[in-house]
Every structure is written in structure tokens, then in C-alpha cells.
Amino acid sequence: MMTYDFHYPEQEGYFHLCSDGALTPRLITCEEDFRVAFNLVGVCAANSDVTILSFSIEDTHIHSLMFGTKSSCAHYKTLYEESWAHHVGRVRGTREGADLTLEILPVDSQDYLMSVGTYTITQPTKDGKQILPYDYMWGTGSMYFRVPGHIPVWCMNARREIIPPIIAGNLSRHARKEILCSHRPVPDSWRICNGILLPDNYVDVQAFEQIYRTANCFRVFLASNRNRDLAIKERIAAARGVALEDAEARMHCRIVVKEMFGFTDVRRLDAHKRVLVAQQLRKRIHLSARQIAALVRLPYSEVCKYI
């Protein structure tokens, strides 16, 4: 089994990407949304330097485990958020209730990695769906520790008949764009079945299995426990930060700018100095990244890279 240094600045490591369901109650409203959200994982993976190990998509939120540098994960995050925004805007005409924001959370220990891995695929079951991870269509729970010749859930129709995949390179550019809901390319050799970009094209099943080494260890972590789940939820909450009333947040921002630069108007600062203010706001009062971005007048995606 490969081992990794879990204390890294820009070296490669594991990251948990997740979204806040409370902010996106209308993230998924139909099966077509599920298909698009699922396919975009593969599209964005093909266009960023990350390795996808696992993920699941639910009606209101997304969880995934990936390997790469933080900047490569941030690039994936931006691609996914922009692609999803384009889909929702085109189909619904509004992003209200579906304006997706992903959080990037570093994984800093082997035990926590094992907890996050199973957490990303068991959430549909834990959230009340009457289905186990290995039968859930919109996640990768069916891919791990399977016998040779196992038929993926995406390659069967409602009557449990096997549907042969098609090759992406055999499709016209228009047909491929219609299926993937994106103009971004994927390798010609990748396979598609039932309108789904098969995750075995891009999910590193072997790397995921190596985290647990044995099927029995995987089974133990699948069962999880309250303490493991609580540890993950606490880190998610800490990463999101707190939200203050706008007037109070602006007051804190003016104070920081005054202390650092001698005046209070953040608009007088260049981008680098605004980043320094953002870092101080995060350090002192742990404001949420979204509120900090509004205060320092920088794109949310840029603020996330530095705080």
C-alpha cells in the first residue's frame, strides 16, 4: 500500500469535496439533473489534474473524495460549479436554490481518510433513501471489492437487461455534447451507457481499495459510527465558517484594513493586499469564504484558494 505525507502545502494529497444542502434545496429536481450532475464529474475530471476515488450525488448536495494538489482540486471545483451553473441556467432560467458551491477539505490522517472514503458513498442511505450504496445509481458505491465480471448498475435497464456501452469517439460532436451537457472534451476511448458517462472511465477503484486493503476493513468502515460521522461534520462546519450580519461584517473588514494599511476602503487595495485582508478576516473571526469574498471584492473561487 502506498503511503502519503498528510501535511502538505501544494504537494499531492487527499481532499474531501462537498456542498451544503441547506443552500441548494433545488439542486436536483429530476432524473435528468441527476444524469447531468453525474456526467459532469467525469467531464471535469477529464479536464483537470485530479484523481476521483469516490462520490455520490443527492437531491441537495454532493460528496466526493479525490487525490491531487489543492490547486488542481480548486480547478476541478471551478469547472464543476461553472458547468452546473450553465446547465441550471439553460434549463430552468434561474439558479435559485441550485447555485452550487463546493468546499475543499484536506484529509490529514489515514483513519480520517478511511472515514471520508466511506462517508462519500453511504450518505444516500444515511439520509433516508431506501437503498444500499452498491445499488445507488448516482454514486460509486457499487464499484469497490466486486467480483470479476460484475455488471455495473449503469449498464442495465429497468428490466435488468444488459445494455452494451457505446464509445465516445464514435459519436458526433453534437451527440456527445447532448449526452455530457458540456462542450469540454473527454477521451475518445471513454464509454457511455444509457446516457451515462461510465465512472470506470475515470474513477480509480484500485486506489480507493488500497485505502482499506481488505474487503473486511472496507465493510467495517461502511458501517461507520456516530463519532466518525461527527468528526467529518465538524470539519465541514468549521470549513464553512460563520456568517455575521452584513453591517457587522463590514465593520470588521474596515477595522482590519485600517490596521493593516491606514485607511478603511478595501477598494483602494490591489488584489494581493485584498487577499491578505481576506486571510486576516478568516483568522480573526472565521467568517465564511462567501462573505469574505463579498467584503474584499474578489471572486469566491479565488478567496477559497488562499484562506
Side-chain angles (χ1 to χ4, degrees), residues 51-120:
T51 299
I52 306 294
L53 281 81
S54 63
F55 69 91
S56 63
I57 298 168
E58 292 194 72
D59 309 72
T60 62
H61 58 286
I62 295 172
H63 284 282
S64 59
L65 175 65
M66 59 183 55
F67 185 82
T69 63
K70 186 171 183 179
S71 60
S72 64
C73 291
H75 179 57
Y76 170 93
K77 159 189 158 66
T78 299
L79 288 180
Y80 196 95
E81 290 169 347
E82 290 177 350
S83 299
W84 179 252
H86 175 76
H87 162 70
V88 173
R90 179 178 61 85
V91 172
R92 304 183 199 174
T94 176
R95 300 206 301 268
E96 183 179 356
D99 195 6
L100 181 68
T101 297
L102 292 166
E103 302 282 353
I104 305 174
L105 310 180
V107 176
D108 58 7
S109 72
Q110 182 66 29
D111 186 72
Y112 190 69
L113 172 63
M114 297 166 86
S115 296
V116 170
T118 50
Y119 188 91
T120 59

Side-chain angles (χ1 to χ4, degrees), residues 4-48:
Y4 300 94
D5 178 2
F6 286 100
H7 299 87
Y8 41 81
E10 261 306 288
Q11 70 184 62
E12 291 183 315
Y14 294 99
F15 292 88
H16 177 196
L17 268 69
C18 57
S19 63
D20 187 349
L23 300 178
T24 49
R26 300 187 66 248
L27 182 67
I28 305 290
T29 61
C30 61
E31 185 165 327
E32 177 65 8
D33 283 345
F34 270 117
R35 185 185 67 80
V36 172
F38 194 89
N39 285 347
L40 285 178
V41 177
V43 171
C44 296
N47 289 274
S48 55

Side-chain angles (χ1 to χ4, degrees), residues 103-298:
E103 302 282 353
I104 305 174
L105 310 180
V107 176
D108 58 7
S109 72
Q110 182 66 29
D111 186 72
Y112 190 69
L113 172 63
M114 297 166 86
S115 296
V116 170
T118 50
Y119 188 91
T120 59
I121 61 175
T122 57
Q123 285 309 290
T125 301
K126 291 183 177 181
D127 287 343
K129 289 183 169 58
Q130 296 301 307
I131 192 168
L132 290 171
Y134 47 75
D135 284 326
Y136 187 60
M137 177 74 73
W138 310 115
T140 59
S142 64
M143 302 183 73
Y144 314 109
F145 294 100
R146 305 312 297 257
V147 297
H150 166 71
I151 306 300
V153 294
W154 311 283
C155 293
M156 291 181 283
N157 60 22
R159 297 186 296 274
R160 311 297 290 179
E161 297 168 334
I162 299 174
I163 307 298
I166 57 178
I167 305 301
N170 292 340
L171 297 173
S172 68
R173 179 177 299 180
H174 175 74
R176 194 186 303 196
K177 182 178 178 181
E178 285 295 303
I179 292 173
L180 303 181
C181 199
S182 175
H183 67 276
R184 294 186 171 91
V186 300
D188 286 344
S189 60
W190 280 17
R191 302 183 307 146
I192 298 168
C193 193
N194 281 328
I196 293 172
L197 186 63
L198 295 177
D200 60 13
N201 293 306
Y202 57 88
V203 172
D204 194 334
V205 173
Q206 184 178 7
F208 184 92
E209 291 179 348
Q210 286 177 344
I211 293 171
Y212 303 92
R213 300 189 184 185
T214 68
N216 191 47
C217 179
F218 179 57
R219 176 193 61 80
V220 170
F221 275 84
L222 271 178
S224 189
N225 61 46
R226 183 179 179 181
N227 289 337
R228 289 194 185 112
D229 285 355
L230 183 60
I232 293 172
K233 291 175 181 178
E234 287 177 346
R235 292 202 189 189
I236 293 172
R240 288 172 181 158
V242 298
L244 300 179
E245 293 289 338
D246 287 345
E248 185 178 358
R250 285 194 296 270
M251 178 192 71
H252 283 290
C253 185
R254 288 195 296 268
I255 290 172
V256 169
V257 175
K258 177 71 172 178
E259 290 179 1
M260 296 178 71
F261 303 105
F263 51 84
T264 61
D265 190 356
V266 73
R267 292 173 296 183
R268 294 174 58 184
L269 301 175
D270 61 26
H272 173 68
K273 291 177 180 177
R274 293 185 191 192
V275 168
L276 297 178
V277 172
Q279 291 171 335
Q280 283 298 310
L281 288 170
R282 183 66 161 186
K283 181 179 180 180
R284 293 188 188 188
I285 51 178
H286 203 64
L287 277 179
S288 70
R290 186 172 292 280
Q291 194 163 33
I292 290 173
L295 290 170
V296 302
R297 299 173 181 266
L298 287 174

